[in-house]
């Protein structure tokens, strides 16, 4: 892992991004995850903070049942399209101008 002059991790792809997310999460009271459902259980386990999961993806909506164990760990689940609404989720429109 490489660091810039401010001590922030740079480069390194997905693994470094995941590590940075996990480290940065400790600074916040509520964690909001967009589409990256796999990280929800880890955030809950390590920090015990409220996690909001927002689905923007048709592929997640289509595989909702197989991802349910991770999605269920979120304290709130929102979706940006009525087409993505599943049991336990709340539709919040994502307007495009």
């Amino acid at each position: 892992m490489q660091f810039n002059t401010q001590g922030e991790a740079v480069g390194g792809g997905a693994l470094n991004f995941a590590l940075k997310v996990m480290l940065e999460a400790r600074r916040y009271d509520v964690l909001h995850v967009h589409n990256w459902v796999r990280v929800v259980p880890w955030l809950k386990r390590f920090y015990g903070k409220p996690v909001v999961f927002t689905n923007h993806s048709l592929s997640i909506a289509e595989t909702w049942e197989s991802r349910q164990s991770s999605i269920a760990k979120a304290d709130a689940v929102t979706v940006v399209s009525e087409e993505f609404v599943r049991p336990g989720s709340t539709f919040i429109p994502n307007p495009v101008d």
Side-chain angles (χ1 to χ4, degrees), residues 18-37:
L19 291 172
K20 184 173 181 177
V21 166
M22 293 303 292
L23 290 172
E24 289 291 319
R26 65 185 167 183
R27 297 176 39 197
Y28 301 98
D29 296 326
V30 176
L31 308 173
H32 189 178
V33 177
H34 294 258
N35 284 356
W36 195 19
V37 70

Side-chain angles (χ1 to χ4, degrees), residues 19-86:
L19 291 172
K20 184 173 181 177
V21 166
M22 293 303 292
L23 290 172
E24 289 291 319
R26 65 185 167 183
R27 297 176 39 197
Y28 301 98
D29 296 326
V30 176
L31 308 173
H32 189 178
V33 177
H34 294 258
N35 284 356
W36 195 19
V37 70
R38 287 181 165 182
V39 77
V40 171
W42 293 101
L43 291 170
K44 289 299 291 183
R45 179 176 296 148
F46 284 113
Y47 300 110
K49 297 178 180 185
V51 176
V52 176
F53 171 69
T54 298
N55 178 29
H56 294 267
S57 170
L58 180 60
S59 65
I60 291 175
E62 290 175 340
T63 59
W64 194 268
E65 289 74 27
S66 66
R67 299 171 189 256
Q68 190 57 40
S69 64
S70 293
I71 294 169
K73 300 277 192 278
D75 295 281
V77 178
T78 64
V79 296
V80 299
S81 169
E82 289 179 311
E83 174 181 0
F84 299 165
V85 172
R86 299 293 185 272

